[in-house]
Amino acid sequence: MPMTILATIDPASSRVRATDSRGHSVAMDTSPPIGEDTAPGPKELVLAALAGCGAMDVASLLRKKRQSATAYEVAVSAESAEEHPRVFTSITVEHRVMGAVEPEALRRSVELSSTRYCPVSAMLSASVRIEHWYRLTGADGREQHALVAVTGPEGSQVL
């Protein structure tokens, strides 16, 4: 089934409202002097889509593995080219999980999301290198941090 988005722009401010065929919408803006900086820009929303896609995958996989996460967030950062069109040149994704979660269960969930399930990751990996990390704070307070996979135009490498 094809996806359809209708983007409506306020010509006076450059603020955009994008609405999907189900009626869900999101606002976008840009920094002055073009816009008024009242909403995330399109590039930020691309990173948000990457974070959301991965988070949904990993949370679902952890539930299937009967892992008890008490908190979960995904931090995404990116570097951009200096010249227009200022595309992303590198992206880092970090899954931050707290709770009684086995490190191997989290590692494998991040691996599957980044290399198999998340279509946003797959689309971006076609043109930019992405590092996929996890940071786990266990129920005992101990912290573990590891690089799980690197995806990009050269392919995927699971570590």
Side-chain angles (χ1 to χ4, degrees):
M1 184 166 127
M3 291 184 158
T4 303
I5 301 289
L6 176 64
T8 306
I9 187 165
D10 174 1
S13 71
S14 294
R15 185 178 168 104
V16 173
R17 174 144 317 269
T19 306
D20 70 13
S21 57
R22 296 173 297 172
H24 305 290
S25 67
V26 61
M28 290 178 272
D29 200 353
T30 191
S31 300
I34 297 167
E36 298 173 357
D37 203 17
T38 62
K43 285 178 65 177
E44 288 88 1
L45 290 177
V46 168
L47 297 180
L50 177 60
C53 184
M56 289 176 201
D57 287 343
V58 171
S60 175
L61 290 163
L62 289 175
R63 282 191 304 272
K64 288 178 183 174
K65 295 173 184 282
R66 301 191 193 309
Q67 301 297 300
S68 298
T70 56
Y72 179 23
E73 62 185 19
V74 179
V76 179
S77 60
E79 298 291 325
S80 296
E82 294 291 322
E83 300 297 320
H84 286 288
R86 295 187 180 142
V87 298
F88 293 129
T89 56
S90 68
I91 300 173
T92 301
V93 179
E94 184 180 69
H95 297 262
R96 299 173 181 169
V97 178
M98 295 181 69
V101 174
E102 296 171 17
E104 178 56 21
L106 177 56
R107 188 206 67 74
R108 180 69 173 146
S109 297
V110 171
E111 175 192 335
L112 287 170
S113 174
S114 63
T115 62
R116 185 173 184 179
Y117 295 128
C118 176
V120 177
S121 180
M123 286 185 281
L124 289 171
S125 293
S127 62
V128 65
R129 181 179 193 270
I130 306 174
E131 291 186 354
H132 304 268
W133 293 79
Y134 77 78
R135 181 177 305 276
L136 173 62
T137 305
D140 61 0
R142 291 184 50 217
E143 189 172 284
Q144 297 181 43
H145 187 235
L147 177 60
V148 175
V150 177
T151 59
E154 296 82 32
S156 297
Q157 179 183 9
V158 176
L159 307 167

